[in-house]
Amino acid sequence: MRPLRYVSSSTLDAVVAGLTAGDRLLAGGTDLLPLLKADLVHTTQLVDIKRAPLSGAIQRTPGGLRIGALATLAAIADSPLLDGPCSLLRQAARQTATVQIRNRATLGGNLLQRPRCWYYRNSRSDCWLKGGQGCPAVEGHHEHHAIFDDSPCRAAHPSDLAGCLLALDAAVVLYGLAGERSVSLHDFFRAPDSERRRETILGNDEIITAVDIPALPAGTVSIYLKAMDRKAWAFALVGMGIVLHRTGTTLDTVHIAATGLAQVPRRLAYCEQALAGTTAADVHIDAALQVLGRGASPLPGNAYKLDLARGLLERGLRSL
Amino acid sequence: MADPAAPHSQAPVLRREARQKVTGRAHFTSDIELPGQLYAGILRSPHARARVRRIDASMVREVAGVRDVITHGDDPGIRWYGEEVPTFGEELRFVGDEVAAVTADSEESVWDGLRAFTIAYEVLEPVIGLAQAACANAPLVYRDKPGNLAAEPQVYCRGDVEAGFAAADVVVTGAWTTQTALHNALEPHGCNAWWDGELLNLWVSTQSIFTVRNNVARKLGLPLNRVRVHSQHIGGGFGAKQVDWKPTVIAAILARRSNRPVKLMLDREAESLAAGNRNATRQQLKLGATRDGRLCAISATIAIDGGAHTLGGENSMVAGCYQQLYACDNVYTEQRQYYSNTGPAVAFRAPGYVEGTAALEQAMDELATELQLDPFVLRERNYTARDQLRDKAYSSPDALRRCYSAAREAFNWPLRPTPQVARKCRGIGMAASVWPGGNSHPPAYTTLVVQGDGSVSLLTGAQDIGTGTRTVLAQVAAQVLELAPGRVEVVIGDTATELHAPPSAGSATLATLGPAVHTAATELRGQVLALAARELHADVETLRMDNGYVREAAGSRAVSLADLAAAAAPGSLRSSGAVLAKPGASSPCTFAVQCAEVEVDLDTAEITLLRLVCAPDCGAIVNRLLADSQVIGGVTQGLGFALTEERLVDEASGLVLNANLEDYLVPTVADVPPITHAIVDLPDYSENPLGVKGLGEPPIIATAPAIVNAVCDALGVRLRDLPLNRQRMLAALTQTARPS
Ligand SMILES: Cc1cc2nc3c(=O)[nH]c(=O)nc-3n(C[C@H](O)[C@H](O)[C@H](O)COP(=O)(O)OP(=O)(O)OC[C@H]3O[C@@H](n4cnc5c(N)ncnc54)[C@H](O)[C@@H]3O)c2cc1C
């Protein structure tokens, strides 16, 4: 049997000290336990952080909103504070996983969940992300995979919330041996490369303590649209988060972020540029849809995701 | 039409174990724990095609808690499947093929043990999918099976197909495909084996306790009276549990070696790899019809991906619907089953007919469009009251017609009652089906006993796959004995009753056991009334049974069943009933017609099912609640087949990529629209005095084509490959002329 110690820690410093010794943090455990069982994560000590001095509160702050790393997806789905510009978070949380998982899963764990790629998760298959060579999805089944090839790994990022937070220009608050730092989500997520076969730049000694969402001008609206293979309990084929603000009829803020298209959640900068400063008339929407695939290199089995992303973007823009 | 023999027509009697099941108190095989029990697990091949060069189990034996290891050579002479392969082969033919097994004190130690094997494999190039299997220079799954053909092609021909097509005004032709689907019963396969001295006891999650008993006895060289199979509650089977799979025999061998009970349950992955599936098909079709919509010829060339083995008696009858559903003088079908390096196919709820009907009924819809005929009208123009395959009249020649009208009426065809929404379009579709099952599957035996206290026991060697067998059998007996059904206790799921009953398959249970119980109950009623007449000094004709008593119809005298049982002592009030042969004069098939309304999103190609109607013919309905359950369950499984369910295999490695319930998408509640069971309730007395047939399979057959036809109606584009995933739907959207 594999010995596995389960402990809980009462100080953050003790938690981060343990991380360098190979401890693994257990929040809701909804991703960690499957990964442990599939031999994709190895550790001898699990540190339950639900009793650490970490918050799960969703609060207003002078600069906007703060969501504690331990906030459950259920709490996010129900929070009255997440309205207006942040309502897309609620929508995304409500479309994530199942009620049972949402009751357990936390925001911190959600941002750090590993890809759902069926080659990565299959213990009989070898792949680059697991330390091997090559990506079997390229020649194999990649219907759910990334259409951008920013990494030797073709897995698409699975988190619905991550895309939404990226569209909100949110930042993660990290705590490590060197103290606290704030990193924008834009920098936090980074496609895996040969030095770092992971989707974030989180340090080996760091823990997420919270996510900060900057205040957005009054009247900012948002939407999250998720295309799935079935009506519930499925990961996004494509998820589209849109945050807009208008002055008069002109769009002065256009943030668009997609999940399911790339190795990390991705801002659709070309689309944003095509729309910013316009009235979002049909021609502008068309122009945004035209550039949605710029830079993409879809595989034969996932080119449909481009059509799907366009469909979601158009639907979202027209409904806001 | 009401026949006195028909039990409580349509009575909505609650399933007897309903409360037990929803409160978690029904004990399934996986709940059986025996004193001193060990756990077992199977090491499965990581390769789709490989030779085992060397097995080093020395580290396995070192693992704490591991008790025993068996590999090839430890199963003397036992052979499996049509190909007679050993339990643990040296040649492995699919990812998941059995390599070795381990017993240990705990499940955790089993896992650790399985991880400790060192095995040298010689990995060979696999054959994955129909295209590869049928390819001229493909590797051979079996050296002695050229062309990867599992059997001689099955050819059927009636009339003159060439002449038929020559006479046709309109021809629809093309290729349709259906995918490999997994049964995914809630409870996986598994068993608990315990040798009580020389008597092997097996608790098995099975659809056929007698099949398991007989085959396990044969494989282990035991007399039949030394094997006893138990199965009280089964968490579904859908066809995959009617054969005796390897784990049962492996557990029995391990239990004998350790002298301890051994429990071996498959996990979800093993269940998805090595416990059966619905075979994928490719069907090349041609339908010819006259301008007024009469079919002049049908031709179907069918290829089936049977996987690595053939399982006896489960050969998929994909060609059947082409031969039976419509009146047509000229029919040619040709069916080939191929081997490939994937887990073997096995019967799956209406095997063959689901796959065949999916293609035929889509093609019929295309024909209706070509002819500008309403789909119902086209089908009714080709109505047949005869089973042209068996050259006999259908036992219910009017049943399919009744299904057409019940479905049409319940659906309000072709009206689309709901208004159109912006950026969405709606469509309606229908499909019909025939199924050769739903009739008796002899032999079957039952025994009825009046106990000393007047309670009644009904014994038979059936098992309840989850359809409510106990409940309906009690209803049949209680009707004859004029008791509340709750007064009849039904004892099933134990071969020690020695009352052989058919597998819970082919929709045969009620049609086989219902009449046997009816015979036994009628006989028992006669005994009871005769004894009561003696006790009351009355004429039998003046007596009637009434809720545990026999009363004078006119007078006030009565005697209880308990008193009668005492009066019978030292004898007893007991009877038996058997069904030994099928009537056979006509062809007792079952039918169904289904309609679907769907909405398709013009931006995202998402399909939303709005409503489904299913009008199945199942003879007389004995229990409305249980009948509804079969319809809802079958249609739900059918819509999964239409939209989301597909086993995905990596072509290079043969790995099953979605061998779990996260990636293999069965419908959730949110995917299932309102399903209406449009009642037909047409008793069929040709087979039995109850007028009953079966309903397990008919409701799944026409669901997928009805849905596809509705989607095609919505888009004005034909789709010919299942399931209708997003990729296919978005491709279809680009062809649609619907407003965008
Ligand atoms: C059936 C199923 C369906 C799902 N569907 C969806 C879906 O539709 N959309 C979606 O977005 N997600 C989905 N998920 C993923 C789910 O949202 C994540 O598993 C969950 O959010 C992880 O949170 P957790 O608290 O359980 O994390 P854990 O499993 O406890 O942890 C995950 C990882 O994060 C680390 N970790 C956790 N908290 C911190 C912290 N504060 N700081 C540093 N490291 C930390 C852990 O050490 C571990 O490595 C699904 C999961 C399942 C099982």
Side-chain angles (χ1 to χ4, degrees):
Chain A
M1 222 169 302
R2 299 176 184 190
L4 188 60
R5 291 209 312 147
Y6 169 82
V7 299
S8 64
S9 195
S10 53
T11 71
L12 280 190
D13 286 321
V15 170
V16 298
L19 278 176
T20 49
D23 287 0
R24 278 294 184 148
L25 306 184
L26 179 81
T30 61
D31 197 29
L32 186 57
L33 292 181
L35 290 170
L36 279 168
K37 286 187 186 170
D39 269 339
L40 289 166
V41 165
H42 300 101
T43 186
T44 53
Q45 179 150 298
L46 286 185
V47 181
D48 192 328
I49 54 173
K50 288 189 291 299
R51 289 194 208 116
L54 271 179
S55 167
I58 304 174
Q59 299 166 297
R60 283 195 211 288
T61 57
L65 273 174
R66 170 167 282 199
I67 309 180
L70 289 184
T72 62
L73 303 190
I76 293 173
D78 290 340
S79 170
L81 290 181
L82 301 176
D83 58 1
C86 293
S87 58
L88 85 170
L89 284 177
R90 268 200 328 221
Q91 297 167 27
R94 282 177 189 164
Q95 296 178 75
T96 296
T98 61
V99 176
Q100 292 90 333
I101 289 168
R102 295 198 290 270
N103 284 338
R104 188 94 199 144
T106 64
L107 175 59
N110 187 273
L111 298 181
L112 293 173
Q113 63 176 302
R114 300 308 309 275
R116 311 306 299 196
C117 169
W118 36 42
Y119 294 98
Y120 171 69
R121 298 250 168 185
N122 190 319
S123 59
R124 301 182 216 274
S125 148
D126 190 29
C127 81
W128 177 87
L129 194 62
K130 287 193 266 197
Q133 306 267 314
C135 173
V138 173
E139 297 288 322
H141 277 283
H142 46 248
E143 294 89 322
H144 293 173
H145 289 68
I147 59 170
F148 289 93
D149 76 2
D150 301 335
S151 162
C153 167
R154 271 286 185 164
H157 200 274
S159 166
D160 290 302
L161 287 173
C164 297
L165 290 166
L166 187 65
L168 289 167
D169 277 338
V172 278
V173 183
L174 307 179
Y175 185 84
L177 291 176
E180 191 174 280
R181 62 171 175 149
S182 172
V183 181
S184 78
L185 276 188
H186 187 80
D187 296 328
F188 181 69
F189 288 113
R190 198 175 296 164
D193 57 39
S194 50
E195 309 289 274
R196 186 185 38 78
R197 298 188 187 196
R198 283 182 287 120
E199 300 76 39
T200 70
I201 54 103
L202 184 76
N204 284 337
D205 63 324
E206 282 181 314
I207 176 170
I208 300 178
T209 58
V211 172
D212 282 330
I213 303 169
L216 285 157
T220 304
V221 289
S222 70
I223 190 167
Y224 181 69
L225 295 174
K226 177 176 181 180
M228 314 183 240
D229 269 335
R230 65 180 170 195
K231 300 283 179 204
W233 180 16
F235 285 89
L237 298 170
V238 179
M240 189 67 66
I242 308 175
V243 178
L244 293 184
H245 182 265
R246 288 186 173 86
T247 302
T249 57
T250 307
L251 291 175
D252 50 18
T253 304
V254 192
H255 294 174
I256 303 169
T259 200
L261 294 186
Q263 290 76 7
V264 293
R266 187 179 181 97
R267 282 285 281 265
L268 301 182
Y270 295 118
C271 300
E272 294 179 356
Q273 284 156 20
L275 289 161
T278 73
T279 56
D282 286 354
V283 288
H284 306 124
I285 292 181
D286 283 348
L289 299 181
Q290 293 267 311
V291 296
L292 190 147
R294 195 177 280 178
S297 46
L299 298 163
N302 68 11
Y304 76 95
K305 281 194 171 187
L306 271 175
D307 293 330
L308 192 49
R310 289 195 189 101
L312 293 174
L313 180 57
E314 178 171 4
R315 170 70 49 85
L317 289 171
R318 289 190 193 284
S319 66
L320 283 178
Chain B
M1 203 79 215
D3 185 281
H8 301 290
S9 184
Q10 294 195 20
V13 177
L14 192 67
R15 183 192 296 256
R16 356 194 93 196
E17 59 282 341
R19 185 174 292 272
Q20 215 183 330
K21 280 186 173 168
V22 297
T23 55
R25 282 187 286 239
H27 283 183
F28 294 83
T29 297
S30 56
D31 296 312
I32 304 289
E33 300 280 331
L34 299 172
Q37 163 192 301
L38 298 176
Y39 296 84
I42 295 173
L43 181 74
R44 297 180 176 281
S45 172
H47 304 294
R49 194 161 158 252
R51 262 182 222 115
V52 178
R53 284 285 172 234
R54 199 173 53 83
I55 299 183
D56 178 356
S58 55
M59 297 304 286
V60 185
R61 294 178 212 277
E62 300 290 301
V63 170
V66 167
R67 297 278 178 153
D68 195 9
V69 177
I70 56 172
T71 62
H72 60 81
D74 294 321
D75 60 332
I78 299 176
R79 291 293 174 268
W80 294 89
Y81 315 125
E83 296 73 32
E84 303 273 315
V85 297
T87 311
F88 304 110
E90 286 175 282
E91 269 201 70
L92 303 172
R93 291 192 175 81
F94 63 97
V95 172
D97 212 348
E98 292 80 359
V99 178
V102 164
T103 43
D105 294 338
S106 68
E107 287 180 87
E108 290 77 7
S109 297
V110 169
W111 293 336
D112 288 343
L114 293 177
R115 277 192 285 246
F117 278 97
T118 308
I119 300 188
Y121 294 103
E122 179 191 346
V123 181
L124 305 168
E125 186 194 343
V127 179
I128 306 296
L130 269 177
Q132 274 189 27
C135 179
N137 50 7
L140 294 183
V141 176
Y142 291 92
R143 271 179 297 261
D144 58 345
K145 302 282 184 177
N148 284 320
L149 274 176
E152 288 295 308
Q154 296 174 5
V155 176
Y156 168 88
C157 189
R158 75 168 174 253
D160 181 343
V161 177
E162 299 275 305
F165 283 118
D169 298 314
V170 179
V171 168
V172 165
T173 180
W176 280 258
T177 65
T178 63
Q179 75 279 28
T180 301
L182 299 175
H183 300 68
N184 266 321
L186 223 47
E187 182 187 36
H189 288 69
C191 78
N192 206 327
W194 171 51
W195 292 82
D196 182 5
E198 290 297 305
L199 178 68
L200 172 62
N201 279 275
L202 293 166
W203 284 260
V204 190
S205 183
T206 178
Q207 290 171 237
S208 183
I209 54 176
F210 279 99
T211 305
V212 171
R213 185 199 62 175
N214 297 350
N215 290 348
V216 168
R218 186 167 45 77
K219 287 194 168 102
L220 294 177
L222 297 168
L224 291 174
N225 62 1
R226 293 259 181 82
V227 182
R228 178 176 178 188
V229 177
H230 312 253
S231 191
Q232 285 309 304
H233 298 287
I234 304 160
F238 308 119
K241 288 180 181 163
Q242 53 180 301
V243 293
D244 55 314
W245 292 95
K246 288 181 185 174
T248 313
V249 167
I250 293 173
I253 293 173
L254 290 168
R256 184 159 55 187
R257 287 165 63 104
S258 67
N259 266 321
R260 305 258 296 261
V262 169
K263 181 170 178 175
L264 202 180
M265 295 299 299
L266 299 195
D267 61 13
R268 187 58 56 186
E269 186 188 45
E271 188 69 10
S272 306
L273 298 179
N277 56 67
R278 186 189 295 287
N279 46 218
T281 69
R282 184 177 186 282
Q283 303 174 52
Q284 182 71 44
L285 305 188
K286 195 169 169 191
L287 305 184
T290 57
R291 180 81 40 222
D292 66 350
R294 274 167 231 286
L295 287 167
C296 1
I298 299 175
S299 126
T301 304
I302 298 157
I304 292 175
D305 182 355
H309 305 292
T310 50
L311 275 75
E314 303 308 333
N315 213 16
S316 182
M317 303 171 289
V318 181
C321 63
Y322 299 99
Q323 301 155 359
Q324 288 178 297
L325 186 54
Y326 294 114
C328 184
D329 291 335
N330 309 303
V331 176
Y332 177 82
T333 64
E334 191 183 300
Q335 183 172 312
R336 286 186 175 74
Q337 179 163 336
Y338 291 92
Y339 288 118
S340 70
N341 289 116
T342 49
V346 71
F348 186 165
R349 207 170 190 169
Y353 282 68
V354 165
E355 302 92 286
T357 306
L360 170 60
E361 285 298 87
Q362 291 180 53
M364 283 296 279
D365 223 53
E366 295 194 20
L367 186 60
T369 310
E370 289 275 317
L371 294 166
Q372 296 183 307
L373 279 178
D374 177 270
F376 272 94
V377 172
L378 172 64
R379 286 167 175 85
E380 284 167 317
R381 272 199 196 153
N382 291 286
Y383 195 87
T384 176
R386 284 186 77 70
D387 180 343
Q388 298 153 95
L389 172 64
R390 297 166 178 160
D391 199 19
K392 286 178 183 175
Y394 283 127
S395 61
S396 292
D398 208 29
L400 180 57
R401 212 186 307 276
R402 298 278 285 264
C403 295
Y404 283 125
S405 49
R408 186 195 264 131
E409 195 173 310
F411 191 80
N412 208 0
W413 182 277
L415 207 74
R416 296 167 208 213
T418 30
Q420 304 272 331
V421 178
R423 309 291 312 144
K424 310 226 166 154
C425 60
R426 292 187 170 181
I428 56 173
M430 58 81 60
S433 62
V434 59
W435 171 240
N439 44 66
S440 66
H441 193 328
Y445 304 88
T446 63
T447 293
L448 270 170
V449 183
V450 179
Q451 305 284 0
D453 61 358
S455 61
V456 175
S457 296
L458 190 174
L459 285 75
T460 182
Q463 55 286 309
D464 182 11
I465 186 179
T467 50
T469 301
R470 289 180 180 84
T471 312
V472 279
L473 296 186
Q475 278 182 267
V476 172
Q479 165 82 8
V480 177
L481 300 173
E482 296 185 64
L483 280 171
R487 294 281 299 274
V488 181
E489 188 59 34
V490 180
V491 179
I492 58 172
D494 187 347
T495 54
T497 56
E498 292 302 344
L499 295 167
H500 183 280
S504 304
S507 307
T509 300
L510 180 59
T512 315
L513 287 170
V517 170
H518 188 258
T519 305
T522 307
E523 149 80 17
L524 187 64
R525 181 188 165 95
Q527 287 178 26
V528 165
L529 288 175
L531 185 57
R534 204 184 76 199
E535 292 296 302
L536 296 172
H537 308 291
D539 187 354
V540 171
E541 306 301 313
T542 67
L543 299 177
R544 62 189 175 86
M545 293 191 72
D546 173 24
N547 210 17
Y549 290 85
V550 179
R551 294 185 196 284
E552 278 182 321
S556 60
R557 289 185 310 151
V559 57
S560 71
L561 281 178
D563 290 342
L564 289 172
S572 66
L573 291 167
R574 77 171 59 217
S575 65
S576 55
V579 168
L580 300 176
K582 282 167 112 70
S586 56
S587 171
C589 289
T590 44
F591 305 87
V593 173
Q594 305 201 24
C595 302
E597 183 177 11
V598 306
E599 182 172 86
V600 180
D601 188 310
L602 289 169
D603 290 325
T604 64
E606 180 181 3
I607 298 169
T608 302
L609 301 176
L610 300 176
R611 57 196 180 107
L612 294 168
V613 166
C614 176
D617 155 53
C618 59
I621 291 179
V622 175
N623 184 324
R624 178 64 199 272
L625 273 180
L626 294 177
D628 287 353
S629 292
Q630 287 308 306
V631 171
I632 293 166
V635 171
T636 301
Q637 214 161 28
L639 75 89
F641 186 63
L643 301 183
T644 57
E645 295 193 38
E646 174 173 22
R647 184 194 68 182
L648 291 176
V649 180
D650 180 61
E651 285 203 5
S653 62
L655 288 177
V656 176
L657 298 173
N658 54 357
N660 56 59
L661 288 173
E662 173 183 323
D663 293 311
Y664 186 92
L665 302 178
V666 298
T668 68
V669 171
D671 296 282
V672 181
I675 295 170
T676 305
H677 171 194
I679 301 286
V680 173
D681 197 16
L682 178 68
D684 181 342
Y685 297 115
S686 69
E687 274 261 308
N688 61 66
L690 302 172
V692 296
K693 296 197 283 195
L695 185 57
E697 284 149 317
I700 194 182
I701 305 175
T703 312
I707 290 172
V708 178
N709 291 342
V711 169
C712 296
D713 178 52
L715 293 180
V717 176
R718 292 307 309 192
L719 288 136
R720 289 176 170 182
D721 302 302
L722 285 178
L724 299 185
N725 59 32
R726 211 53 85 89
Q727 199 178 347
R728 293 185 175 130
M729 285 300 295
L730 281 157
L733 258 198
T734 61
Q735 299 164 34
T736 183
R738 297 285 181 267
S740 61

